[in-house]
Amino acid sequence: MLRITESKNAEAAKQYFGKGMVRSDYYIDGQEIAGKWGGKTAERLGLTGQVTQPDYFAVVDNFHPRTAEQLTPRQKDNRRAGYDFTFSAPKSVSVMYELSGDERILSAFREAVKETMEEIEREMKARVRKGGKDENRLTANMLWAEFIHFTSRPVDGIPDPHLHAHCFAPNVTWDDKEGRYKAGQFGELKRDATYFEAAFDARLAKWLGELGYATQKAKYSFEIAGMPKSVIDKFSRRRNEIEAEAAAKGIESPEGKHAIGYYGRENKKKDAGTGELRVRWTARLTPTEKAAVERLAFGNNGRSDGDGPISAKDAMRHAMEHCFERVSVTSDKRLQAEALRFAVGSVLPDQVRNAAQTSEIIRREVNGETVVTTRAVRLEELQMLRFARDGKGRFDRLGNGSALLPGLSSEQRKAALHVLGSLDAVVGIRGAAGTGKTHMMKATIAAIENASAEPGGDYRKVFVFAPSAQASRKVLREEGFASADTVAQLLNNEEMQSKVKGQVLWIDEAGLMSSKDMRRVFQLAEKQNCRLILSGDYRQHSAVQRGDALRILESESGVEFAELKEIRRQKESLYRKAVEAISKGTAKDAAKGFAELEKNGAIIEADGKERHALLIKDYLQAATDGKSALVIAPTHAEGRALSSGIRAALKDAGELGQKEHLIVSRVATNWTDAERADARNYQSGQIVQFHQAVAGERKRKGKARGTFGGYEKGEAAVVLRQVMGNVVILRKDGSEALLPLDKAERFNVYNAREIAIAEREKIRITANGYATVNGPFGPKRKRIHNGDIHSVQSVADNGDLHLSSGAVLPRTFGHVTHGYVDTSHASQGKTVDRVFIAVGDESLPAANRAQWYVSVSRAREQVRVYTDDAQALKEAVQKSPERLSVSEMMRGKKKREKLDMRRISRFLKDRLENPYDAIRERSTWQERIQHERRGHHL
């Protein structure tokens, strides 16, 4: 593990590392050993060997340790002193070192630290400002003071084994070109911490393997193979304390857990020496655990079952499958980090770097960072863009320009005419939240279908789809689109595909479409000769899968988008003004909207439990006032903590039944296909559920011999164990069965979590499925949708949930959680009277412009935001959620002049009497633009 922590001033750096150095017993009993200088800058400064207090204080204070001259030009009181690079060995390694006394482990650890710090040093840069420049220059030198420690902070006065190194790097580097010392640029190093952590782990695991210690991949790192989990847990008391406190506070982020560990720690004590500690540690072990440790000591598990060898080529293949499932472009360092994690113990950083030099990977420099994509991902985006470009001007207009379009505002009418007058295969509408897009949609569809009945009109029926079941089968059907369905159903149902032939496909909430799915829709439209209307708002949440398709189409394909900007949902003027600002989608506008909410008294700053208590009080008041309400938290962790408080308040008010029933809830792991294909990720008790059927087959070769009996769609099984050779054993129908890991795209994996359900409980459905209802001819299935909210009337003795709607959820369904708090993703598309948003410190990493926009815009009447730190939240909601597209990557995301199609459209319509003549003329302008763009892209 590697954590990089900024030391914001010299006094903090001197206190953290210097406090113990002035004590006479700092080196007593081997709990810490003398610090050691490292780095090329250290050699230039004459710093070698042991770290002394005068030298350390001098460089931290920005002075030359020999001449006392100031090092870097700027000497401010709040000058950033440096960064602490903290490397931690896996717990099994720390335990093995202490209980076996194998000093080779310490040597391997220090060598891994040294090599990783030297790699970090090779990427050190300094800022260049001379001659009007504003850039960074590679200096490839730095200095650090390395301090090795062997124990964790105490729990009840006694520490646990914890081998770790603090490498404190003062903020200085030598710029050879300018011939002077300058402040270092650590931002990019911290940005790439994930890679450096993986590189350190890879080196340490590899060196331990050469000493005879077999290793196996753990969640983010590795452990020594054969070390009992009970031993690891037994010597992880500090970690367990932090995890327990984090769970109680709803904190899941590594940053939040680190803060708990740092600020809530006991001071180290010198009462017990190393020898005494080892006696105490050994006494904690059971005879079986002690025997296991002794059996592994000094590399005696070299022949035991560790992870099998993985080539650098296979590791890179896994990394590509994993990374590019959810992004079109990633950093070169992140790709290599994933490969190193997958093959930890088998490969070293240089081998992975060489494996990344494949012709399939495309590289570019964007904003000073090397980013990558693949030729397959690039082709996917190009094919999507080509369809939209090639479809321009190919068709007759969709409708009649003299259509009455009753009940529409001027803006809505313009958007409807934009669709009706389109000559293109693809037409777009971007509608901000609460602008009446659905109302405009109804009128436009009616006009398209009415026009087909006119003399000479083509028969056109409009079929409506949306990416999610909640948006299509729930929201759209309730709005009057009775046959609305999911995009997935369109793509997978051949009967439906035949029905839409030659017709119009309207995809709502298209901002949630990935590039992969959009390309598939385009391929279907081309095959079936369909016209496409895409409506949505890419400034809200985007697809989980790679590619922000709607945004890419507007910015790169020349598809002209009508725009709905006039907010109608918010009734109160100041609230509406805030949402209008936020809906524009820029950091500046997000900050402006935040300021408007502050003026309106909507931002409430309070600490901890008080913050949640205030929100709960307002939520209960909304129910008393007869108002619909929505509670939103950016993370599931804060949502669970808040749900617990709401349930307690409802119980106190008598709104919930007092008797609780425990049911098993399935919590999605959200693994990628690549992660689901790796047996090492599985743990006993997890649930595997198939969303596509898998035919049975016989495996005759390798360690995976056995029978796959086949799995039906919807079938679930429990993980019993994972064994070597990439095999997972399930319990299926009372017997053991193999999990077909090569069909990872056909199933999902869930962790089981018990939740308490009472009568009158509000629950949310977390996956599409079926309940049962009593019909005139007996029980029948009723579809339920991901995101649906239900009230529980009672819980049967067998665990079935009887809902107030009359439907029954079988206890085996599992996809249920409390329905009091939504994430912003789950809330998109919903409208209520009042919305209450909780954003604690632990949720700040999940906050961004899209999350902020969706959350704030849900209510008609009132929004209130409850936060620990208003200023920190204001900064967080300005972060961009946009993912780099391949097109942006290929041009280095440089700004380039382009013709503004909206301005051209207005110009033409002002000067041409017939609006359809203007549309045809506009197509000529668009072809000119696309001709230029094709030269770049193709």
Side-chain angles (χ1 to χ4, degrees):
M1 179 178 175
L2 168 64
R3 183 165 298 282
I4 304 174
T5 308
E6 177 187 347
S7 187
K8 296 186 177 179
N9 56 66
E11 287 307 311
K14 287 192 290 187
Q15 181 180 19
Y16 190 64
F17 288 98
K19 188 175 180 181
M21 295 173 65
V22 299
R23 292 175 49 172
S24 60
D25 64 345
Y26 185 73
Y27 304 113
I28 283 179
D29 293 326
Q31 289 188 41
E32 290 92 5
I33 60 178
K36 183 179 178 181
W37 290 111
K40 294 178 180 178
T41 308
E43 294 174 10
R44 178 176 286 276
L45 291 170
L47 298 172
T48 58
Q50 183 174 321
V51 177
T52 65
Q53 187 199 70
D55 289 345
Y56 176 78
F57 279 21
V59 292
V60 165
D61 283 328
N62 198 30
F63 293 108
H64 196 295
R66 301 292 174 259
T67 67
E69 295 177 352
Q70 184 174 312
L71 289 174
T72 67
R74 297 187 180 182
Q75 184 77 338
K76 300 183 294 184
D77 290 339
N78 60 346
R79 175 185 175 274
R80 185 181 294 117
Y83 286 81
D84 172 22
F85 294 75
T86 306
F87 296 87
S88 298
K91 182 57 70 174
S92 60
V93 176
S94 298
V95 171
M96 183 57 65
Y97 171 68
E98 292 295 348
L99 298 187
S100 72
D102 188 349
E103 292 296 329
R104 300 177 305 161
I105 294 175
L106 176 60
S107 298
F109 174 77
R110 297 192 76 167
E111 185 63 24
V113 171
K114 176 177 176 291
E115 291 190 9
T116 307
M117 284 303 299
E118 287 174 348
E119 183 178 11
I120 291 170
E121 179 180 39
R122 291 194 290 272
E123 299 190 16
M124 173 56 76
K125 295 178 181 178
R127 185 171 294 177
V128 178
R129 293 293 179 268
K130 280 192 173 181
K133 293 182 178 180
D134 185 7
E135 60 189 37
N136 294 331
R137 176 185 294 138
L138 185 68
T139 61
N141 68 86
M142 60 190 289
L143 81 154
W144 62 87
E146 178 205 67
F147 302 95
I148 302 292
H149 301 267
F150 301 101
T151 60
S152 63
R153 292 284 166 175
V155 176
D156 298 329
I158 301 296
D160 285 333
H162 178 42
L163 177 58
H164 61 288
H166 292 281
C167 295
F168 185 78
N171 187 13
V172 60
T173 185
W174 173 260
D175 187 337
D176 201 48
K177 191 162 186 177
E178 294 185 24
R180 60 173 179 154
Y181 290 104
K182 299 169 70 174
Q185 289 294 89
F186 286 84
E188 292 178 12
L189 301 179
K190 191 165 183 178
R191 177 197 67 197
D192 295 333
T194 298
Y195 164 77
F196 294 121
E197 177 181 75
F200 163 72
D201 284 340
R203 292 181 173 110
L204 179 56
K206 187 76 170 175
W207 301 160
L208 289 171
E210 293 184 359
L211 296 178
Y213 291 100
T215 61
Q216 58 190 24
K217 178 180 176 291
K219 187 174 182 181
Y220 296 117
S221 182
F222 71 92
E223 298 288 357
I224 291 177
M227 178 68 74
K229 186 176 183 298
S230 60
V231 174
I232 294 173
D233 291 340
K234 196 167 283 188
F235 291 105
S236 302
R237 293 179 303 156
R238 183 69 189 125
R239 183 202 68 189
N240 296 339
E241 272 192 343
I242 293 168
E243 292 289 347
E245 187 173 348
K249 294 181 176 180
I251 295 174
E252 288 186 339
S253 70
E255 295 81 7
K257 292 177 182 178
H258 174 66
I260 292 173
Y262 184 82
Y263 294 109
R265 59 191 186 176
E266 294 181 35
N267 289 324
K268 288 190 176 181
K269 294 179 173 62
K270 300 293 178 178
D271 299 334
T274 302
E276 183 182 345
L277 285 174
R278 287 177 175 170
V279 170
R280 293 189 182 188
W281 290 332
T282 303
R284 285 193 211 166
L285 301 178
T286 67
T288 302
E289 292 169 341
K290 185 176 179 181
V293 173
E294 290 174 349
R295 192 164 51 246
L296 300 175
F298 291 94
N300 290 329
N301 73 332
R303 293 182 299 277
S304 71
D305 287 335
D307 288 345
I310 300 173
S311 70
K313 183 178 179 180
D314 286 342
M316 184 51 60
R317 184 181 300 114
H318 163 87
M320 291 166 65
E321 290 173 358
H322 171 72
C323 291
F324 294 115
E325 180 173 322
R326 293 180 181 167
V327 294
S328 299
V329 178
T330 191
S331 75
D332 191 28
K333 283 284 198 296
R334 192 168 294 276
L335 184 67
Q336 292 180 44
E338 184 57 37
L340 288 168
R341 281 178 169 172
F342 179 74
V344 64
S346 291
V347 299
L348 291 171
D350 286 346
Q351 295 171 296
V352 165
R353 196 171 298 113
N354 292 334
Q357 304 305 313
T358 170
S359 60
E360 175 62 16
I361 295 177
I362 304 171
R363 285 178 175 75
R364 289 291 187 276
E365 290 291 323
V366 177
N367 300 328
E369 181 179 21
T370 301
V371 295
V372 294
T373 190
T374 68
R375 295 189 182 279
V377 174
R378 186 188 183 202
L379 179 61
E380 173 184 278
E381 188 171 303
L382 287 174
Q383 288 175 338
M384 180 182 74
L385 293 172
R386 279 181 182 140
F387 175 83
R389 292 170 186 157
D390 294 347
K392 299 197 69 59
R394 284 184 50 216
F395 297 88
D396 292 331
R397 53 194 173 90
L398 277 167
N400 190 335
S402 60
L404 295 176
L405 300 170
L408 297 187
S409 69
S410 174
E411 182 185 62
Q412 291 170 335
R413 180 179 173 81
K414 285 181 181 178
L417 289 174
H418 165 75
V419 174
L420 296 174
S422 175
L423 309 174
D424 305 333
V426 182
V427 59
I429 303 166
R430 176 155 48 79
T435 54
K437 176 169 57 65
T438 304
H439 182 55
M440 179 278 303
M441 184 176 167
K442 286 181 180 179
T444 308
I445 289 175
I448 292 173
E449 294 184 338
N450 289 339
S452 67
E454 296 177 0
D458 296 329
Y459 178 75
R460 292 195 187 95
K461 180 174 176 58
V462 181
F463 291 83
V464 179
F465 301 91
S468 70
Q470 179 72 14
S472 57
R473 297 170 184 154
K474 183 75 174 175
V475 176
L476 285 173
R477 288 185 183 182
E478 288 178 354
E479 291 288 348
F481 303 99
S483 60
D485 218 320
T486 64
V487 172
Q489 185 74 358
L490 170 66
L491 293 173
N492 296 311
N493 187 319
E494 292 183 3
E495 183 181 352
M496 183 175 289
Q497 291 172 14
S498 65
K499 287 182 180 179
V500 303
K501 186 171 184 177
Q503 307 304 321
V504 180
L505 309 180
W506 190 309
I507 298 180
D508 193 31
E509 294 288 356
L512 293 171
M513 290 279 288
S514 67
S515 293
K516 181 179 179 180
D517 284 344
M518 189 69 80
R519 180 184 65 166
R520 291 181 64 196
V521 168
F522 284 1
Q523 289 170 336
L524 172 65
E526 185 172 31
K527 180 181 177 181
Q528 301 292 67
N529 193 34
C530 296
R531 304 283 293 274
L532 278 163
I533 303 168
L534 306 176
S535 60
D537 185 2
Y538 54 74
R539 290 168 183 166
Q540 298 183 53
H541 287 302
S542 57
V544 173
Q545 304 300 316
R546 68 172 173 260
D548 304 335
L550 198 66
R551 181 178 68 84
I552 296 168
L553 285 168
E554 182 173 18
S555 64
E556 305 294 337
S557 74
V559 171
E560 187 188 356
F561 278 62
E563 187 173 9
L564 296 174
K565 297 187 289 186
E566 186 180 346
I567 305 293
R568 299 172 177 278
R569 179 180 293 158
Q570 283 72 44
K571 307 303 181 185
E572 199 273 326
S573 60
L574 288 177
Y575 182 16
R576 185 169 59 251
K577 188 176 179 182
V579 175
E580 285 172 348
I582 296 167
S583 70
K584 294 177 182 177
T586 69
K588 182 178 179 181
D589 289 316
K592 181 180 177 182
F594 191 96
E596 293 292 341
L597 291 175
E598 278 189 310
K599 276 194 280 184
N600 202 18
I603 307 296
I604 299 164
E605 195 173 47
D607 292 330
K609 291 183 178 180
E610 181 189 0
R611 178 169 57 84
H612 280 188
L614 290 170
L615 186 154
I616 292 167
K617 181 181 177 182
D618 289 341
Y619 172 72
L620 296 177
Q621 185 61 49
T624 301
D625 296 343
K627 300 293 184 179
S628 60
L630 191 62
V631 179
I632 299 175
T635 63
H636 290 293
E638 181 159 19
R640 284 194 292 269
L642 194 50
S643 287
S644 178
I646 291 173
R647 293 185 74 248
L650 291 173
K651 272 183 171 289
D652 290 343
E655 297 295 326
L656 287 185
Q658 294 301 308
K659 185 179 179 181
E660 294 190 333
H661 305 262
L662 291 178
I663 68 166
V664 176
S665 173
R666 299 176 189 177
V667 182
T669 59
N670 294 319
W671 289 345
T672 62
D673 288 353
E675 288 174 309
R676 290 195 296 276
D678 186 355
R680 297 172 300 175
N681 292 327
Y682 289 80
Q683 295 180 2
S684 175
Q686 289 179 318
I687 299 168
V688 175
Q689 185 168 14
F690 290 79
H691 52 80
Q692 292 182 51
V694 176
E697 58 180 297
R698 177 84 176 167
K699 291 288 185 181
R700 300 183 180 277
K701 296 181 180 180
K703 294 183 178 180
R705 285 193 301 271
T707 300
F708 291 99
Y711 297 87
E712 297 179 0
K713 181 179 178 180
E715 187 173 1
V718 177
V719 175
L720 287 178
R721 62 189 179 278
Q722 62 98 351
V723 297
M724 306 312 298
N726 208 41
V727 176
V728 175
I729 309 295
L730 303 179
R731 184 175 68 246
K732 178 178 182 286
D733 298 329
S735 60
E736 293 188 359
L738 299 178
L739 176 63
L741 293 170
D742 59 338
K743 303 290 193 301
E745 74 284 358
R746 299 192 178 194
F747 59 83
N748 289 317
V749 184
Y750 302 88
N751 292 315
R753 182 171 66 93
E754 282 192 334
I755 63 171
I757 299 293
E759 291 181 0
R760 301 186 297 280
E761 190 86 68
K762 187 187 289 187
I763 61 170
R764 180 188 303 105
I765 306 302
T766 57
N768 298 327
Y770 292 90
T772 60
V773 294
N774 289 321
F777 303 105
K780 65 177 183 178
R781 296 202 308 173
K782 177 184 179 182
R783 188 186 291 273
I784 52 176
H785 306 116
N786 185 4
D788 284 355
I789 301 294
H790 293 278
S791 178
V792 175
Q793 185 177 40
S794 63
V795 182
D797 292 339
N798 67 353
D800 289 350
L801 300 181
H802 291 255
L803 309 180
S804 57
S805 64
V808 178
L809 273 181
R811 63 180 177 80
T812 55
F813 179 67
H815 301 287
V816 170
T817 190
H818 293 127
Y820 304 102
V821 184
D822 279 7
T823 61
S824 58
H825 286 83
S827 72
Q828 185 162 323
K830 295 182 179 180
T831 302
V832 293
D833 296 323
R834 299 176 187 176
V835 65
F836 308 106
I837 306 167
V839 192
D841 289 341
E842 64 275 13
S843 294
L844 286 177
N848 58 46
R849 293 204 295 267
Q851 181 274 329
W852 180 238
Y853 174 27
V854 172
S855 300
V856 166
S857 61
R858 296 304 94 202
R860 303 181 190 92
E861 299 175 2
Q862 182 189 66
V863 61
R864 286 187 176 174
V865 184
Y866 308 79
T867 180
D868 294 301
D869 186 334
Q871 182 58 37
L873 177 58
K874 184 177 181 179
E875 293 171 4
V877 301
Q878 295 179 59
K879 293 185 301 186
S880 172
E882 290 181 3
R883 300 173 289 190
L884 200 64
S885 71
V886 177
S887 302
E888 291 163 338
M889 168 192 162
M890 295 304 289
R891 65 171 179 265
K893 198 155 186 181
K894 293 177 181 175
K895 290 183 179 179
R896 56 189 174 88
E897 291 185 8
K898 62 179 181 179
L899 296 172
D900 185 337
M901 289 307 306
R902 284 187 292 272
R903 179 173 56 80
I904 292 170
S905 297
R906 287 195 297 270
F907 173 84
L908 291 170
K909 287 177 181 178
D910 287 344
R911 285 159 177 74
L912 295 173
E913 184 175 344
N914 188 330
Y916 297 110
D917 289 341
I919 291 170
R920 293 181 189 277
E921 184 68 19
R922 183 181 66 216
S923 295
T924 304
W925 285 89
Q926 289 173 323
E927 286 172 6
R928 289 177 54 190
I929 295 173
Q930 297 319 313
H931 178 74
E932 296 173 5
R933 287 185 174 174
R934 285 192 184 99
H936 171 75
H937 287 295
L938 308 181

